[in-house]
Amino acid sequence: MRAPPSGFGPALSALLGPRWRTDAAALDAFAPGAGGDDRPAGIALPASADEVAALVRICRQHGAAVVARGAGTSSTGSARPVGGGVLVSFERMRRILAIEPANRIAVVEPGATNAEVQAALAPHGLFWPPDPASAETCTVGGNLACNAGGPRTVKYGATRDNVLGLAAVTGTGELVRLGSATTKDATGYDLTRVVVGSEGTLALIVEATLKLAPLPAARAGLRAFYADAASAAAAVARLMAQPVAPSMLEFMDATSLRLAREVGGAELPEAGALLLIEADGDPATLPRALDALEAAARGAGLLGLERAADQARAGRLWAARKALSHAQRAIAPAKLNEDVVVPVARIPDLVEAIQALSRRHAIPIIAFGHAGNGNLHANILYDPADPGQHARAHAALPELFATVLALGGTLSGEHGIGLAKRDYMRAAFDAPTLALMHAVKRAFDPDGILNPGKVLPPLADA
Ligand SMILES: Cc1cc2nc3c(=O)[nH]c(=O)nc-3n(C[C@H](O)[C@H](O)[C@H](O)COP(=O)(O)OP(=O)(O)OC[C@H]3O[C@@H](n4cnc5c(N)ncnc54)[C@H](O)[C@@H]3O)c2cc1C
């Protein structure tokens, strides 16, 4: 067995002083549960881009792995220091460097949380569209690295659509500047979009120029119940085909609704599916926008529709979605939390396949989420202490991915690939495409030190 790389500790200590931490308290805080070979050698807490570049050069010299860490909320194991190495936390790099309303941009360091950025932007009447449910804790660096999204993606796009430029440190320890601070740019290869979503495998992001949107003055919503998933999906297709873009278009299947009602205590009628629809914009024109969305929501299979004319009432309609989160935890201590995507028109096929999978493996699977993007959370609920349930949940997973790919979909809409889905990349991409991805990885990180083992399956078996 190859000895783990060593010798970089004194150099990192000289570079970072007390911000190179090897004590158990730091290792437990930043890499909880990482034991044995997966325990990082230490935690680096750089305070500047130059320090990040210098630490990567030290690690490269010693052949040590470098794993970036934001808030550690990734559900795919992407921030886990597999095989040890140096965990780089960006918590000391969280400054909001500039907010330029005239240019609709903000320049931020990666360790700022999504919520901190939104709070700084609000007084300027602006916001940054990515809205993961983890916004209070997750960092902009993590959002960029995972191409995070949320309910608003249907109108405003995901992280990749809302970043103009990056400063990043490659695996050779060089600081590169990608993209620009302008909203139009036809200059060379778009490496910003390559690094966004690369999960720390190509470069460490040290600064980002974010593209901002004006904060809508008002929101209003609808809640529509349908007899079945097919009727709801037909409504989604109608909603997406008309000119008023919903600012949220969320779906819950029959199992999710039952769980939210019977376990989560939400006040919900019996139905085969639910759509939560929101519009945002100017208070003067919002009622007309809501009329258009309501007209599109109406159609075959509609059982009932409630309208919330303002934000407070719209919030109450959303209670079913919140109840679902609590209900899941109440019935199963663990879940395989997938975020698959299919073309909107294939949502009924996906929901039907998920229900069949649930029956075949005798395990609860719920489907809900961002219907306007065809991005559904398929959560396989199980008790890890029950070996039978554990085995059945993990047996259902490859079948779920095979179904999604057969429906013309993709493995992940917002959580990314990490370690958990890495080996399914062979099913999602052909060998030449995977080989090209490996070539891109080598161009950024010739020695393979950045977040090794994540995203791409080993080339030999690719
Ligand atoms: C309760 C909960 C709800 C969630 N809801 C959503 C949701 O609605 N939508 C959604 O998209 N996701 C969601 N997530 C997943 C997760 O929060 C997001 O993927 C988030 O973007 C991760 O940010 P983080 O700061 O925690 O990153 P981490 O988990 O620390 O890291 C994630 C990845 O980013 C890399 N990384 C971090 N910082 C940098 C950097 N500066 N440079 C390069 N690479 C970096 C890491 O190496 C790792 O590969 C949720 C998670 C939880 C726990």
Side-chain angles (χ1 to χ4, degrees):
M1 206 174 79
R2 207 158 56 102
S6 58
F8 51 86
L12 289 178
S13 182
L15 174 71
L16 300 170
R19 289 179 287 108
W20 167 241
R21 301 212 20 205
T22 54
D23 53 294
L27 297 183
D28 290 342
F30 288 96
D37 290 346
D38 290 345
R39 192 127 169 109
I43 316 298
L45 293 147
S48 69
D50 287 343
E51 282 188 355
V52 175
L55 82 82
V56 171
R57 286 197 294 272
I58 291 168
C59 290
R60 187 183 187 207
Q61 198 186 345
H62 293 274
V66 179
V67 179
R69 187 188 192 273
T73 63
S74 160
S75 56
T76 64
S78 60
R80 264 182 33 213
V82 179
V86 173
L87 199 60
V88 181
S89 163
F90 287 93
E91 74 168 33
R92 305 294 168 94
M93 291 178 66
R94 60 193 312 148
R95 285 177 303 163
I96 292 167
L97 300 169
I99 297 174
E100 300 177 15
N103 294 321
R104 286 202 183 169
I105 63 165
V107 182
V108 304
E109 290 187 324
T113 65
N114 183 301
E116 283 166 354
V117 171
Q118 309 296 1
L121 295 175
H124 300 273
L126 296 165
F127 77 108
W128 188 48
D131 61 337
S134 51
E136 283 300 322
T137 44
C138 68
T139 64
V140 171
N143 295 167
L144 291 160
C146 296
N147 190 24
R152 284 197 295 241
T153 300
V154 65
K155 178 169 179 178
Y156 295 99
T159 298
R160 191 174 270 132
D161 307 303
N162 291 287
V163 58
L164 299 173
L166 298 174
V169 173
T170 66
T172 57
E174 283 160 306
L175 180 67
V176 292
R177 292 197 170 269
L178 314 175
S180 68
T182 59
T183 49
K184 288 189 83 178
D185 183 0
T187 319
Y189 300 144
D190 188 350
L191 297 179
T192 307
R193 287 177 78 87
V194 174
V195 169
V196 173
S198 66
E199 302 183 29
T201 63
L202 299 182
L204 304 188
I205 297 163
V206 292
E207 187 186 294
T209 302
L210 308 179
K211 183 181 169 196
L212 309 177
L215 258 181
R219 296 179 203 280
L222 300 167
R223 184 161 92 155
F225 295 93
Y226 296 88
D228 47 42
S231 314
V236 172
R238 291 194 300 275
L239 284 155
M240 296 308 291
Q242 54 80 54
V244 176
S247 53
M248 291 190 198
L249 178 42
E250 299 285 297
F251 167 88
M252 287 172 71
D253 75 350
T255 316
S256 309
L257 287 173
R258 202 174 318 116
L259 208 54
R261 187 177 56 245
E262 292 173 8
V263 183
E267 279 181 35
L268 288 167
E270 292 227 11
L274 167 66
L275 291 183
L276 296 164
I277 307 158
E278 193 184 272
D280 65 10
D282 183 70
T285 54
L286 200 55
R288 280 211 302 283
L290 210 56
D291 287 345
L293 295 175
E294 182 175 333
R298 290 191 179 280
L302 181 75
L303 300 178
L305 188 143
E306 294 165 44
R307 186 166 164 140
D310 58 44
Q311 196 152 347
R313 271 177 278 199
R316 281 201 287 281
L317 295 190
W318 260 230
R321 187 77 153 70
K322 293 208 176 82
L324 181 61
S325 304
H326 301 304
Q328 287 182 77
R329 282 193 290 276
I331 70 156
K335 62 184 176 194
L336 297 176
N337 171 9
E338 301 309 329
D339 64 319
V340 295
V341 194
V342 293
V344 165
R346 308 308 299 268
I347 291 174
D349 302 309
L350 177 62
V351 172
E352 201 177 304
I354 286 172
Q355 286 164 354
L357 206 57
S358 171
R359 286 191 297 273
R360 207 159 51 247
H361 292 277
I363 198 109
I365 310 179
I366 58 171
F368 63 97
H370 319 306
N373 298 105
N375 177 201
L376 293 195
H377 292 290
N379 284 358
I380 306 176
L381 308 175
Y382 71 104
D383 180 354
D386 177 332
Q389 279 193 35
H390 185 275
R392 295 201 301 280
H394 287 83
L397 191 61
E399 292 180 39
L400 171 69
F401 289 142
T403 301
V404 165
L405 294 174
L407 291 171
T410 185
L411 302 177
S412 171
E414 51 183 27
H415 293 167
I417 298 301
L419 208 52
K421 281 169 264 185
R422 185 194 74 171
D423 294 336
Y424 298 100
M425 289 284 277
R426 287 191 204 93
F429 295 102
D430 57 22
T433 310
L434 280 176
L436 191 57
M437 290 188 190
H438 274 279
V440 171
K441 163 81 175 161
R442 280 195 301 279
F444 276 86
D445 177 25
D447 298 330
I449 60 168
L450 298 184
N451 213 0
K454 312 290 172 55
V455 183
L456 296 179
L459 191 54
D461 359 308

